[in-house]
C-alpha cells in the first residue's frame, strides 16, 4: 500500500488506529483454546470485529515464533485473511529484523514476497546495508526503530555526541538519506511524550508508528499534540487494551467497543488538528 | 553448555571454529534439490563431515525463515540432529532478536525452551529489558551485537560521546553490568582487525563471536593476535567458505577439508598464544 492510499484510508475512516495482534495462547478466552488453530480463530474474530475502526494490523512475530511451526502457519493464515477480506488494511510485521546485506535480503523476501505484508519493523544498529534491502520493494515500507517505548530505551537511544545530537536523532537523520517518506517510517514510543516534537524536527513528514498507548501508559492526546502533521503522519498501535479487553465469550464485541472508542477519539483529534 | 565445558572442548579439539549453517536452497548442490527436506539433508551431511573440526554450529535463522514453515521445520530438525548426535557442539541461533521485555521473553522461550539452542544473538538498540529475559536461562548465552563485520557498522556503532566513548564500547560496558562472562558474549566482526584490542580493553574476559573471516575478508591471524585471551575467548565463524566450498557431489568432503584447514590453523594459534 502506498502513502496516498494509506492517507486516504485514514481520512475516510477518521482513524489512525493500528491493532496489535500480539496473540498469546495463554491469554485468549478459555473456550477457544481447544478449537483447531486457536490463534488464527481468535485473530479472525478480532479482525472481523475491529476492521471498521482501524487502518492497520500489526502482528508481533515473537508471539507466533514462540509456538514454532504451528505459530508461523497461524501468522501466514492471519495475513492472508486480512489481505483477502480487508484489502484496505495496512499490514505490519513487527519483527525488528536487521542483519548484513545478503541476510536482510532473505528477511525481505520472507516478509514481503512470501508473507505479503506491507511493512516490516527493522532494527538500525547494523546500519545501511542491513536496512537497504527492505527498501528495494516498491509500495512496501521499512519502519525503523528510533525511540522505543520500553524502559531500556534510555540505555543507548539517548546517548549524545559532541554536538549534542542523540543516537535516535542520528538514526532518523541518517536513515532519511537511505529512503524517502513514501517508504520509511519510524517507531517512536508513546511513552516518550514531549520527545515527539524533537522527533518531528528531524522527521517532519515521515509516518511514525507509535506503540505504548494504553497498557504501557502513553497518552493519545499527547502523541497527537506533538506528533501529528497536517496529513496525520501517525499510526498509533494498541494491542492488549483491545484484544484482551475481555476474556469471556464476548471478547470480540468488547474489542470492537474499545477500538471504536479509540477511533472516536482519533476522529476528534484529526478534526481538531485540521486533518479532516 | 557452560563456559567450562566450552573451554574444555576448545582445548581438546584444538579448535575454536564455528560452522555457519547459512543454508540457501539456491546454493546447495544440484543433486540434493529434489530430495525430501533438502535443507536438512544438506545440513546433516555438512555436520557429519565437519563435526570433528569445530566446536560450534551457527544457523542464521533468516535462511530458514525465508522458506516459511518448511524452513522452520528444517531448522528444528537440524538443531535436534546436532543435539542428539554431537552433544559436545555449542549451538547458536543467529537471530539478532530484541524487543520490549515481555516480547523478548517469548523469543527466549522459542529459542531456548522449544528449539533448545545454547545461545542466541541479540540486538542491543532497545536496551536492558530487551536483553535481560534471555539471561534468565542458566547455562544459556546471550551474544550481543557490538561491532559487526558489515560496511553499515560504520553508520552508528562508532558514534562517540563527549568523552570519546563510542557506541559499541557503551554497549559492551553497559551489558557487562547485566550479566557475567558465563552468560554474555559479544559479536565482533573479523573485518574490524585492530579494533579487537579496543574491544578487549572493555571486555577482557568475554567470549567474542567473530563472523567475517574468509568471504568477508577478515584474517584469522589478526583476530587471534588482538582478540585471543589466555583461555582463548574466541569463537570464529565461517559459513560460505566451508559449506559452499564445492557445489558438486563431493561438497561434504570438501567442506570437511576446509574446516580441517581452519582447525589446523587454529591449533597453531592456540599453541602460539599459550592456550594449549
Amino acid at each position: 500500500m502506498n502513502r496516498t492510499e494509506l492517507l486516504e484510508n485514514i481520512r475516510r475512516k477518521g482513524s489512525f488506529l493500528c491493532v496489535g495482534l500480539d496473540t498469546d495462547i495463554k491469554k485468549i478466552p478459555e473456550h477457544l483454546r481447544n478449537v483447531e488453530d486457536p490463534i488464527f480463530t481468535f485473530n479472525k474474530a478480532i479482525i472481523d470485529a475491529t476492521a471498521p475502526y482501524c487502518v492497520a494490523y500489526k502482528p508481533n512475530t515473537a508471539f507466533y515464533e514462540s509456538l514454532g511451526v504451528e505459530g508461523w502457519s497461524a501468522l501466514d493464515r492471519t495475513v492472508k485473511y486480512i489481505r483477502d477480506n480487508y484489502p484496505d488494511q495496512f499490514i505490519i510485521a513487527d519483527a525488528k529484523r536487521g542483519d548484513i546485506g545478503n541476510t536482510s535480503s532473505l528477511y525481505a523476501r520472507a516478509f514481503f514476497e512470501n508473507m505479503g505484508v506491507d511493512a516490516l519493523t527493522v532494527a538500525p544498529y547494523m546500519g545501511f546495508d542491513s536496512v537497504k534491502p527492505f527498501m528495494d520493494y516498491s509500495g512496501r515500507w521499512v519502519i525503523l526503530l528510533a525511540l522505543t517505548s520500553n524502559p531500556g530505551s534510555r540505555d543507548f537511544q539517548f546517548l549524545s555526541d559532541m554536538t549534542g545530537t542523540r543516537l535516535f536523532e542520528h538514526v532518523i537523520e541518517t536513515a532519511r538519506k537511505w529512503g524517502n517518506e513514501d517508504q520509511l517510517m519510524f517507531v517512536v514510543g508513546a511513552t516518550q511524550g514531549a520527545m515527539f516534537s524533537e522527533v518531528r524536527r528531524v522527521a517532519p513528514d515521515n509516518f511514525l508508528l507509535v506503540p505504548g498507548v494504553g497498557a504501557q501508559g502513553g497518552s493519545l492526546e499527547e502523541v497527537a499534540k506533538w506528533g501529528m502533521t497536517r496529513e496525520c503522519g501517525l499510526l498509533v498501535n494498541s494491542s492488549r487494551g483491545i484484544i484482551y479487553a475481555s476474556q469471556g465469550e464476548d471478547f470480540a464485541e468488547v474489542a470492537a467497543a474499545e477500538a471504536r472508542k479509540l477511533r472516536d477519539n482519533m476522529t476528534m483529534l484529526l478534526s481538531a488538528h485540521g486533518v479532516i
Side-chain angles (χ1 to χ4, degrees), chain A:
Chain A
M1 184 182 298
N2 66 32
R3 186 181 172 92
T4 312
E5 294 165 323
L6 180 56
L7 289 170
E8 226 170 74
N9 293 338
I10 290 172
R11 276 192 303 266
R12 178 171 49 84
K13 290 183 144 178
S15 172
F16 46 100
L17 176 63
C18 173
V19 173
L21 298 171
D22 298 355
T23 309
D24 185 340
I25 187 83
K26 294 182 183 161
K27 287 191 191 153
I28 68 175
E30 203 67 40
H31 73 282
L32 286 184
R33 291 191 203 167
N34 295 316
V35 304
E36 211 197 311
D37 203 346
I39 298 290
F40 173 71
T41 307
F42 176 82
N43 285 352
K44 180 177 174 304
I46 291 283
I47 293 160
D48 289 336
T50 56
Y53 313 115
C54 67
V55 294
Y57 287 102
K58 179 174 75 64
N60 183 317
T61 53
F63 288 80
Y64 302 87
E65 255 183 86
S66 71
L67 300 175
V69 166
E70 228 169 282
W72 279 100
S73 143
L75 177 55
D76 266 341
R77 283 184 78 188
T78 300
V79 171
K80 193 173 175 337
Y81 184 77
I82 301 171
R83 191 56 76 229
D84 290 348
N85 295 278
Y86 304 97
D88 64 343
Q89 294 287 346
F90 187 77
I91 309 177
I92 302 164
D94 192 1
K96 303 187 176 68
R97 297 296 191 265
D99 206 310
I100 63 170
N102 69 344
T103 309
S104 274
S105 300
L106 289 173
Y107 280 128
R109 194 205 294 168
F111 287 101
F112 290 153
E113 292 184 31
N114 302 354
M115 194 173 287
V117 297
D118 294 290
L120 187 76
T121 57
V122 174
Y125 192 76
M126 294 180 69
F128 179 75
D129 61 297
S130 71
V131 177
K132 189 66 181 158
F134 299 107
M135 292 182 161
D136 294 342
Y137 290 80
S138 137
R140 307 300 172 101
W141 298 73
V142 164
I143 310 182
L144 199 64
L145 302 184
L147 201 48
T148 57
S149 58
N150 62 317
S153 64
R154 298 266 144 189
D155 286 320
F156 306 120
Q157 297 166 24
F158 284 85
L159 288 174
S160 292
D161 70 7
M162 318 229 198
T163 69
T165 306
R166 287 157 295 189
L167 179 59
F168 75 89
E169 291 164 316
H170 270 296
V171 165
I172 293 173
E173 286 176 346
T174 307
R176 279 168 50 88
K177 295 175 195 152
W178 303 337
N180 62 33
E181 62 267 17
D182 295 331
Q183 54 184 169
L184 179 63
M185 303 187 183
F186 296 102
V187 172
V188 181
T191 50
Q192 303 290 354
M195 297 301 302
F196 272 84
S197 68
E198 309 194 29
V199 168
R200 279 294 176 213
R201 266 216 318 260
V202 284
D205 295 324
N206 294 85
F207 258 96
L208 306 180
L209 171 64
V210 185
V213 162
Q216 292 179 58
S219 135
L220 184 61
E221 286 67 28
E222 189 103 328
V223 169
K225 179 175 174 192
W226 301 104
M228 194 176 279
T229 66
R230 276 174 310 176
E231 291 184 312
C232 177
L234 296 171
L235 287 174
V236 168
N237 184 74
S238 174
S239 301
R240 286 169 269 174
I242 293 176
I243 71 173
Y244 301 133
S246 159
Q247 309 263 310
E249 301 214 355
D250 62 350
F251 72 99
E253 288 155 59
V254 178
E258 289 300 319
R260 194 187 317 116
K261 249 191 265 172
L262 275 167
R263 191 273 318 265
D264 291 347
N265 239 321
M266 287 177 173
T267 304
M268 258 179 8
L269 290 165
L270 285 166
S271 157
H273 286 77
V275 179
I276 53 174

